[in-house]
Amino acid sequence: MLLTGAQIIMECLLEQKVDTVFGYPGGAVLNIYDALYEYRDRINHVRTAHEQGAAHAADGYARSTGKAGVCIATSGPGATNLVTGIATAYMDSVPVVAITGNVNVDLLGLDSFQEVDITGITMPITKHNFLVKHIEDLADVLRQAFQIAQSGRPGPVLVDIPKDLTAKKYEYQKQAPLPLLPVHYPSDEHLRQAAQMLQNSRQPFLYLGGGVSLSGADKEAAAFAEKLDAPVSASLMAQGAFDAHNSRYMGMLGMHGTKTSAEAIKNCDLFVAVGTRFSDRVLCNAGLFARNCPILQIDIDAAEFNKNIDVDLRLEGDARQVLTGLLSLLPQQNHAAWMEQVHAWQKAYPLTQAAEAGVLPKDVLETLDKLTDSNAILTTEVGQHQMWAAQFYKFRRPRQFLTSGGLGTMGYGLGAALGAQAGNPKAKVINVAGDGGLHMNCNELATVAHYSLPVVELLLNNSVLGMVRQWQKLFYDNRFSQTTLDTNTDFCKLAEAFGVKAYRIKTKEEIEPTLKEALAQQGPVLVDCWVDKDVNVLPMVPAGASVEDPMLEM
């Protein structure tokens, strides 16, 4: 079948069962967009207000569905506007395929209009990238891009396609998607060593990272926790990988983790880490982390072993497969006294917030949790609201919490929410935002309004850059340099200008009825919730301190 390069791109997307793409048209991708018009009954295109929103939307689609997300941008500034979104996906291991246009092949390297070396720019933040210079390579490159993005530890792949290739014709033959690349599996000897470590433990600590969600290992992780008879903590990226309603769950570990998790790591005799890269926000002071016990690490990426912290035994492989192997070797354990101690810490150190008056973020998020039966998909921007969402919403399953953990990208959440809503049309999707983050991406309110996506934008509005201000309070003697957001933006009027229905919460009594009404709407909604600027994220481990000793008050 003789097709243009643009049509070959469409057919390759259909091979991969891609149903939705996100992007923004421009000169170098005119042929691709002409093909999208032709294929509009088979591939849904969501035009965002900005290319960065398209990258975040593809990311949110991928995180929430488990399928690769796809975004499209033109050459030059269109391509560079994707960079922050690509880096966000890279840091959090999200399978995204970014397709960019470029100038004609004979104009490459001549500083042509809207030309940029996007493969050179994105090399450090992609699993792989391609510049396609020959039409005969186009289909195979696209197939490889999806294979690489989804194999092993997932991540973004960029394919840069000169405009003249999208107009040329070439013979296309349909193919099945390439199989995922094989991953390593631990030796029987290493599995037996791990099983022996587990059996010797009397006070084990099970810590789950984002890899548990990515591998679909949540059921195996729950069964493993039961068989090991251990308490469980999860990273920011692993919220929902273990049901927060389960009495074994202690909350997060790390800079803003719970006091229960801190006590557990101080007293455990074995630390079992599954699918985590030991981020500095988890370790805090690496020299003081889990210093009283051996560490068993399970991870699909060999580069993560002994990178941030030395471990005693490493099992390289997919989390689901490795946990399945360990379950078959491990007899049922019984650590009743240890679990009783953990439950005592949970009662002694609950997560609390205090304020003289007004609306507490804890009350807002716990009410949201109740009204949605812990089943909504939450996205976030980055800052205090992000931590409060992780602390007070009780996620039940993987792919419910979409947040920028590694790169910490302000402006991520609204784009991710519209991507998640497009991929999960029957789900309730809520973006928990701060006013700083919303100022960065409010243009995407136009997108959710245009497509009538029923996203709820829950704004925790404290008129400051709260997390940065919190550090200024602790370590800079209350010198609040440029963290007071005195812009006087009326977010309700702003939302309404975009065609988004808006509500405002200013008192505790307004929380439940307002949220209930907002959640019942069939279209996009913004809820402007005023909270005190001096409500802090606690617990908190100060820089350089041990994760075992978080501050409980400021």
Side-chain angles (χ1 to χ4, degrees), residues 49-60:
H50 190 282
E51 289 93 350
Q52 182 169 313
H56 292 326
D59 176 304

Side-chain angles (χ1 to χ4, degrees), residues 452-492:
S452 298
L453 295 170
V455 170
V456 176
E457 177 82 352
L458 178 57
L459 173 62
L460 298 181
N461 184 357
N462 56 8
S463 299
V464 293
L465 293 176
M467 189 62 86
V468 184
R469 186 179 189 275
Q470 182 169 326
W471 280 68
Q472 289 174 334
K473 184 185 299 184
L474 272 173
F475 307 116
Y476 294 87
D477 196 27
N478 293 319
R479 293 188 295 277
F480 299 127
S481 177
Q482 300 301 316
T483 50
T484 299
L485 300 178
D486 47 4
T487 58
N488 297 318
T489 303
D490 186 325
F491 288 104
C492 288

Side-chain angles (χ1 to χ4, degrees), residues 11 21 55 75 82 99 159 173 195 231 241 451 465 478 493 514 536 539:
E11 292 293 339
V21 299
S75 61
L82 295 178
I99 298 172
V159 182
Q173 290 185 343
Y451 292 99
L465 293 176
N478 293 319
K493 288 183 178 178
T514 305
N536 297 303

Side-chain angles (χ1 to χ4, degrees), residues 522-541:
Q522 299 303 305
V525 177
L526 180 141
V527 182
D528 182 14
C529 184
W530 290 11
V531 300
D532 192 299
K533 65 180 180 296
D534 286 314
V535 179
N536 297 303
V537 178
L538 294 169
M540 178 179 178
V541 179

Side-chain angles (χ1 to χ4, degrees), residues 204 224-231 248 333-336 338-339:
F224 185 68
E226 291 296 326
K227 205 164 192 182
L228 184 57
D229 196 19
R248 294 185 181 278
Q333 304 297 292
N334 188 334
H335 305 125
W338 172 231
M339 288 305 305

Side-chain angles (χ1 to χ4, degrees), residues 57-77:
D59 176 304
Y61 178 96
R63 293 194 204 216
S64 63
T65 65
K67 300 186 290 185
V70 179
C71 56
I72 300 172
T74 193
S75 61

Side-chain angles (χ1 to χ4, degrees), residues 129-342:
N129 61 31
F130 299 88
L131 170 59
V132 186
K133 291 186 176 182
H134 305 283
I135 185 67
E136 58 267 30
D137 297 332
L138 180 57
D140 286 340
V141 165
L142 286 165
R143 291 163 184 148
Q144 289 177 57
F146 280 90
Q147 181 190 46
I148 293 168
Q150 298 173 96
S151 293
R153 181 178 182 174
V157 176
L158 181 135
V159 182
D160 194 34
I161 308 170
K163 183 177 180 179
D164 52 337
L165 262 65
T166 62
K168 287 183 179 180
K169 291 190 174 182
Y170 191 73
E171 193 68 26
Y172 164 80
Q173 290 185 343
K174 184 177 180 178
Q175 291 185 18
L178 297 172
L180 297 184
L181 299 170
V183 297
H184 186 272
Y185 187 74
S187 67
D188 290 345
E189 176 60 27
H190 281 161
L191 284 173
R192 283 193 292 270
Q193 288 180 32
Q196 193 59 56
M197 286 180 73
L198 296 168
Q199 289 182 67
N200 291 341
S201 172
R202 294 295 173 263
Q203 296 182 170
F205 185 128
L206 178 58
Y207 180 66
L208 307 179
V212 175
S213 295
L214 293 172
S215 69
D218 53 303
K219 291 182 176 59
E220 288 75 13
F224 185 68
E226 291 296 326
K227 205 164 192 182
L228 184 57
D229 196 19
V232 180
S233 180
S235 72
L236 184 70
M237 300 307 303
Q239 294 304 298
F242 193 84
D243 187 349
H245 293 262
N246 191 308
S247 63
R248 294 185 181 278
Y249 185 60
M250 301 181 292
M252 289 193 297
L253 175 71
M255 180 171 286
H256 296 295
T258 64
K259 177 66 171 174
T260 301
S261 293
E263 288 297 319
I265 197 171
K266 186 187 298 185
N267 291 278
C268 71
D269 63 6
L270 175 64
F271 189 83
V272 184
V274 186
T276 177
R277 62 188 178 87
F278 285 114
S279 155
D280 59 295
R281 290 298 171 107
V282 171
L283 295 178
C284 296
N285 185 323
L288 300 176
F289 186 85
R291 61 189 185 275
N292 298 320
C293 66
I295 299 175
L296 165 61
Q297 184 180 4
I298 300 167
D299 204 273
I300 200 168
D301 187 353
E304 294 300 342
F305 294 122
N306 298 331
K307 184 177 82 173
N308 295 327
I309 190 171
D310 291 335
V311 300
D312 296 270
L313 181 62
R314 54 194 190 187
L315 297 180
E316 181 187 346
D318 174 78
R320 186 176 183 180
Q321 295 176 2
V322 174
L323 288 176
T324 299
L326 289 175
L327 281 166
S328 68
L329 296 174
L330 181 66
Q332 179 61 51
Q333 304 297 292
N334 188 334
H335 305 125
W338 172 231
M339 288 305 305
E340 185 178 345
Q341 176 60 74
V342 169

Side-chain angles (χ1 to χ4, degrees), residues 309-383:
I309 190 171
D310 291 335
V311 300
D312 296 270
L313 181 62
R314 54 194 190 187
L315 297 180
E316 181 187 346
D318 174 78
R320 186 176 183 180
Q321 295 176 2
V322 174
L323 288 176
T324 299
L326 289 175
L327 281 166
S328 68
L329 296 174
L330 181 66
Q332 179 61 51
Q333 304 297 292
N334 188 334
H335 305 125
W338 172 231
M339 288 305 305
E340 185 178 345
Q341 176 60 74
V342 169
H343 291 146
W345 287 326
Q346 287 176 320
K347 291 179 181 177
Y349 303 113
L351 288 171
T352 60
Q353 281 184 343
E356 292 182 5
V359 176
L360 289 176
K362 176 178 184 289
D363 293 338
V364 175
L365 289 159
E366 288 182 342
T367 302
L368 180 70
D369 181 67
K370 180 184 73 172
L371 293 174
T372 58
D373 194 27
S374 306
N375 276 311
I377 295 174
L378 263 61
T379 65
T380 78
E381 310 302 336
V382 170

